[in-house]
Amino acid sequence: MRQLLLLLAIPVFAADLPPDKGSTIPESGKRPGVITGKASLPLPKHDLPDGYTLEVAAASPLVTHPIMGCLDDKGRLFVGDAVGVNWNKAQLEANPPNRVLMLEDTDKDGSYDKSTVFADKMTFPQGACWLNGSLYVGSPPGIWKLTDTDNDGVADQREMIVGGFDYTGNAADIHGPFLHPNGRLYWCHGRKGHKVAQKDGSLVDESLACGIWSCKPDGSDVAWHSLGCGDNPVEVDFTRDGDIIGVQNLYYSQPRGDTIIHWLYGGIYKRSDQLKAIAHLPRTLETMPVMYNFGHVAVSGSCFWKNYPARNQGAQQFMVTHFNTQRLVRMELIPSGSTYKAVENEFLRLHNPDIHLTDVMEDPRDGSLLLIDTGGWFRIGCPSSLMAKSDLLGAVYRIKAKKPQLAIQNTNDSVRKADLQSQIAALKSNDEHARRQALEWTAKNRPQEGEVLSVLGQLLDQELDPSSEHLLIYALRQMKPPVQSGPVSDRYMSRWLLVELARHGSEKSFASIIESSLPRLVPEMSPPLADAIRRSLEVVPDGDQIAVSAFTEWLKESDITQGRITFITHVISGQLAKPSAQSLMTAMLGHGLVDVRMAALSILATQTSGITSEAWLPALDKLLAESPTPLVFDAIKKLKTPHFDAALQAIANDTKRPLAIRLKALDSAKSVKLTGETFTMVKGVLADAASSSAAKIQAAGMIASAPLAKPQLLELAPLFATLGPVELKSLLAIVRKSKDAEVGNALAREIAKNPVIASQQESVYRTAFSDMPPDIFETIILPACNTADAASEVKKRQLGPLADKVIASGNAVNGKKNFEMGKGTCIACHKIGSAGRPIGPDLSHIGAIRTERDLLESILFPSNTLARDYEAHVIETSDGQQTLGVIKSHTAEGLLVIDIAGQEKTIAHQTIAGDTTLITSLMPQGLDQTMPEADLLDLVAWLRSLK
């Protein structure tokens, strides 16, 4: 079983396109109840690994626009089939247009030759599961049980066993169900809102949260497994141990990230811009773990390929389709800690942009894969199908090994062993996987035996990875937590607080515990404890007053630590609407220590609600006059008051100041418009090759957010050929400011010339040009993107084979010599032992945390694997000078920076006019081309040996 997905555009353009008009099913979508015969369809151009073939398993007229599928125990394929209309909820309910088909291969040759309408008048069937003679289908607003009682190929009994899941028609709704080894049905639902009840009417949950749900096959015992606020969990499948692995679109936004998630029981998965969806749910961890982030690809179908002949028998192969990029990728899931890490391997690429893959499943009879292409009809919520192309029909493909590859199935008894003593033994085990699964069992079953509680109490003080830590806290919340006598560690205390926060957070007794903890808190000494107290202050009665009372005392200290200042920043940022917090802000803005003043400015600069206070203005006037830094401008901009406009205009007019500062001043003013001379000045920054990177990025952001007329857009068009990746990303927003074909053509022609066109994904350009005539994108942008992508794909395909060559023939001794001789220029930026320079990460023990493939990817695609805290910064000072480098540390005196020459320098805070983080690595792409392949293999072999 699999389904169609929500594939929203990038966040700034996230609204769905309007639905088709009318409510009549088109003639092209109508068909007889039964169709027989073989389909004929040319194979698309494609890339597959050696040893595999692609075949057409079904096409028109057997299917129209297939969107999901599942195999039954007889080998029949059930397929959700769309008629090709993009309708909203009201239209779908007024005249349900879609259907479920049953495909049969009567001559057993691997392709289907009979198609029967198993169930018609479905709203939007997006998933199916065959169980005990019935077909379970996810079609809004619920899960349906369809049964053919008289064996005529048509379901004559229909029952919605679970309902209450809302939808809009953009496919970000209900997907599934999927049969778990434990016998329960699981399904996904997007962030569309739900009100779900048991059969007796008792409420399970009512909110906007997306999530993973389950029930028994009769529709009883409905429960959520995980909830969150990403857009659209699409599909799940189950590991040999029964772990739930799935794909989700728009888990992240700004920038968009489509992900693989190990969905943990009781997990609440946040997205910062959609927290209202989970506001009613107590969380365990502030941030739940994510297994893999694809970026903007629009994930769709997924399944485990149990019969793939992997060399690593401990790994599991998770296949994922990408709707936007016409790809099927093989994700190798390797045990890591208590969960898994995923390694991406491209398996299939189809060279036809009108193919849209929505599902993949394994045929257990021969180990082949069935792949579903829905065709070109879907556009209402999808950035890759902005025009409905209902004439481009879908198909079902089969991927087969040239040699039979049925593998011996490895199973794990952990799914079946559910007795208490086995679980206690697993809780005590050093096997992280077994312990995590036992924690999940404990959370579900809530045994109150003393030995279980004792072991859980011991785990409160043990080192755990995030997945196990979440399940420990969640399990104890369902039970009576142990009481520890005597002193406890900060780790124990932080976890205990998070347990009690969910149980007693609204009680004054718990608030008293938090209040008594604050005076002696040293956040930098115990970040987990500080985080638990911070989260508690958001919940306990009068948390703002408790915090402000303690912080007032902290601010009286002449040697207040940076850790405490940072803690104040985090707490007050969430309490800024409260009068007590605003009073503290007044004191901080006028504080004698520069770090405290900067913290106050940071709170204002990052707020999203536009809160202001008259009491803050005098201190801000003084800061603007004495030290007009970017942080001061950012804070003023968020206040949205004209109070500062005169002073800001004067700064902007001062030609002696750095250009980046003048632009910042203009951008922060409430009433200054980007017209006339102001527009000319800002545009000139982008046009001038001598402008600093910081100034160009600032100018791009200003233009992107300004209202622009057609003459201005045409005037800006030539700049698009030379924009850097950061500026290009910002300025793509202006494409949507016009529907004029002349403007669209002008912008597209220049973008196509830009050498960094591949810095944005094809779907981002497709979305940007969605209001323009389609041929602008199809004939200008798309060919340029394809050319750039092809070059990148050639390199990606080298990763696996090159990694194998490193293992087979890499010579670490020669690799060390190559490094010391400067081959590949690694020594210019990295230290290994005493050799090299510390601009990039120290590589002295890199082999302990990176595989051969990881290391090769870092060399071939350096900007894809930026190490945290090693991002490149362009720092501009008040004298107009720039420093390009990596920030090593923040000190009281300023920023300690290592520049590209490897020299350390301290840049005083008060002299910094701009600090811009770049999205590209300082490590240049193409270093692999600077040495023979043999030298590259030797170098990687040596790096891998450094443990």
Side-chain angles (χ1 to χ4, degrees), residues 649-795:
Q649 187 66 64
I651 292 171
N653 293 340
D654 186 353
T655 57
K656 295 180 180 179
R657 294 184 183 270
L659 193 53
I661 287 291
R662 296 171 62 198
L663 292 171
K664 273 288 209 182
L666 274 179
D667 191 37
S668 303
K670 179 176 173 58
S671 57
V672 174
K673 306 298 181 186
L674 206 60
T675 57
E677 292 182 1
T678 305
F679 172 76
T680 301
M681 183 187 87
V682 176
K683 188 199 74 168
V685 173
L686 289 172
D688 188 354
S691 296
S692 69
S693 298
K696 286 187 174 183
I697 293 169
Q698 177 67 40
M702 293 171 66
I703 291 173
S705 60
L708 299 169
K710 178 178 178 178
Q712 292 174 307
L713 291 168
L714 291 173
E715 195 175 340
L716 288 167
L719 302 179
F720 275 75
T722 55
L723 293 173
V726 182
E727 304 95 285
L728 178 60
K729 181 179 180 181
S730 294
L731 281 173
L732 277 175
I734 77 169
V735 179
R736 294 289 290 259
K737 295 180 185 294
S738 173
K739 297 183 180 181
D740 187 285
E742 182 183 0
V743 171
N745 272 294
L747 293 170
R749 285 194 300 270
E750 300 303 325
I751 292 172
K753 300 174 186 176
N754 196 312
V756 301
I757 188 172
S759 65
Q760 311 300 317
Q761 293 188 348
E762 173 205 309
S763 55
V764 176
Y765 295 112
R766 191 184 292 267
T767 300
F769 283 88
S770 61
D771 291 332
M772 298 289 183
D775 64 300
I776 294 177
F777 174 82
E778 300 290 342
T779 63
I780 303 175
I781 296 291
L782 185 58
C785 286
N786 287 342
T787 300
D789 287 345
S792 178
E793 289 301 323
V794 169
K795 280 196 170 186

Side-chain angles (χ1 to χ4, degrees), residues 722-922:
T722 55
L723 293 173
V726 182
E727 304 95 285
L728 178 60
K729 181 179 180 181
S730 294
L731 281 173
L732 277 175
I734 77 169
V735 179
R736 294 289 290 259
K737 295 180 185 294
S738 173
K739 297 183 180 181
D740 187 285
E742 182 183 0
V743 171
N745 272 294
L747 293 170
R749 285 194 300 270
E750 300 303 325
I751 292 172
K753 300 174 186 176
N754 196 312
V756 301
I757 188 172
S759 65
Q760 311 300 317
Q761 293 188 348
E762 173 205 309
S763 55
V764 176
Y765 295 112
R766 191 184 292 267
T767 300
F769 283 88
S770 61
D771 291 332
M772 298 289 183
D775 64 300
I776 294 177
F777 174 82
E778 300 290 342
T779 63
I780 303 175
I781 296 291
L782 185 58
C785 286
N786 287 342
T787 300
D789 287 345
S792 178
E793 289 301 323
V794 169
K795 280 196 170 186
K796 284 184 179 179
R797 288 179 177 275
Q798 294 175 355
L799 289 175
L802 280 175
D804 292 341
K805 288 183 179 181
V806 172
I807 296 170
S809 61
N811 186 312
V813 174
N814 289 341
K816 180 180 181 181
K817 293 177 182 177
N818 290 339
F819 175 85
E820 293 172 345
M821 291 169 59
K823 289 188 177 182
T825 70
C826 305
I827 199 169
C829 296
H830 296 281
K831 281 184 71 70
I832 296 179
S834 59
R837 293 190 295 185
I839 300 175
D842 191 308
L843 304 181
S844 299
H845 304 287
I846 191 65
I849 59 173
R850 294 289 187 269
T851 66
E852 288 83 1
R853 183 191 172 100
D854 296 334
L855 293 165
L856 284 163
E857 186 175 0
S858 296
I859 296 170
L860 270 64
F861 301 97
S863 294
N864 290 358
T865 55
L866 277 174
R868 185 177 177 181
D869 297 329
Y870 286 91
E871 299 91 349
H873 290 252
V874 177
I875 300 169
E876 188 168 15
T877 50
S878 53
D879 60 1
Q881 298 298 307
Q882 292 184 70
T883 298
L884 174 62
V886 174
I887 296 175
K888 186 174 183 180
S889 64
H890 295 254
T891 68
E893 293 76 25
L895 297 180
L896 180 60
V897 177
I898 302 179
D899 65 19
I900 56 175
Q903 301 298 313
E904 289 190 0
K905 60 172 66 175
T906 296
I907 304 176
H909 290 301
Q910 64 270 22
T911 67
I912 296 174
D915 178 4
T916 303
T917 303
L918 302 182
I919 62 173
T920 52
S921 173
L922 282 177

Side-chain angles (χ1 to χ4, degrees), residues 484-777:
Q484 180 78 16
S485 59
V488 296
S489 68
D490 285 351
R491 175 192 287 161
Y492 184 105
M493 186 65 177
S494 64
R495 291 171 177 167
W496 182 86
L497 285 176
L498 292 175
V499 171
E500 291 297 289
L501 177 61
R503 294 166 55 86
H504 305 294
S506 61
E507 298 174 12
K508 289 189 176 180
S509 58
F510 184 72
S512 297
I513 295 174
I514 299 302
E515 185 173 16
S516 64
S517 301
L518 275 170
R520 58 180 182 273
L521 177 66
V522 184
E524 57 266 52
M525 298 297 292
S526 181
L529 179 59
D531 183 67
I533 292 174
R534 176 190 63 78
R535 292 173 58 188
S536 299
L537 287 169
E538 296 173 355
V539 176
V540 300
D542 302 320
D544 62 308
Q545 296 179 34
I546 292 172
V548 168
S549 176
F551 296 164
T552 300
E553 295 303 311
W554 287 5
L555 291 172
K556 292 177 182 178
E557 302 169 0
S558 60
D559 57 348
I560 182 172
T561 66
Q562 187 61 51
R564 282 191 161 182
I565 294 173
T566 301
F567 185 78
I568 293 172
T569 302
H570 289 162
V571 173
I572 298 302
S573 292
Q575 306 273 10
L576 197 56
K578 304 286 183 65
S580 59
Q582 293 177 19
S583 296
L584 186 74
M585 280 291 297
T586 303
M588 292 176 68
L589 286 167
H591 199 276
L593 294 177
V594 64
D595 285 349
V596 174
R597 296 196 300 272
M598 289 177 65
L601 291 170
S602 178
I603 293 169
L604 295 181
T606 55
Q607 68 159 321
T608 58
S609 51
I611 295 170
T612 188
S613 169
E614 290 290 328
W616 301 340
L617 302 184
L620 288 169
D621 283 331
K622 183 178 180 183
L623 289 169
L624 183 61
E626 295 178 355
S627 181
T629 64
L631 189 56
V632 173
F633 291 129
D634 289 340
I636 287 172
K637 182 177 180 178
K638 289 297 182 70
L639 299 183
K640 300 179 181 179
T641 171
H643 173 84
F644 304 98
D645 281 5
L648 292 169
Q649 187 66 64
I651 292 171
N653 293 340
D654 186 353
T655 57
K656 295 180 180 179
R657 294 184 183 270
L659 193 53
I661 287 291
R662 296 171 62 198
L663 292 171
K664 273 288 209 182
L666 274 179
D667 191 37
S668 303
K670 179 176 173 58
S671 57
V672 174
K673 306 298 181 186
L674 206 60
T675 57
E677 292 182 1
T678 305
F679 172 76
T680 301
M681 183 187 87
V682 176
K683 188 199 74 168
V685 173
L686 289 172
D688 188 354
S691 296
S692 69
S693 298
K696 286 187 174 183
I697 293 169
Q698 177 67 40
M702 293 171 66
I703 291 173
S705 60
L708 299 169
K710 178 178 178 178
Q712 292 174 307
L713 291 168
L714 291 173
E715 195 175 340
L716 288 167
L719 302 179
F720 275 75
T722 55
L723 293 173
V726 182
E727 304 95 285
L728 178 60
K729 181 179 180 181
S730 294
L731 281 173
L732 277 175
I734 77 169
V735 179
R736 294 289 290 259
K737 295 180 185 294
S738 173
K739 297 183 180 181
D740 187 285
E742 182 183 0
V743 171
N745 272 294
L747 293 170
R749 285 194 300 270
E750 300 303 325
I751 292 172
K753 300 174 186 176
N754 196 312
V756 301
I757 188 172
S759 65
Q760 311 300 317
Q761 293 188 348
E762 173 205 309
S763 55
V764 176
Y765 295 112
R766 191 184 292 267
T767 300
F769 283 88
S770 61
D771 291 332
M772 298 289 183
D775 64 300
I776 294 177
F777 174 82

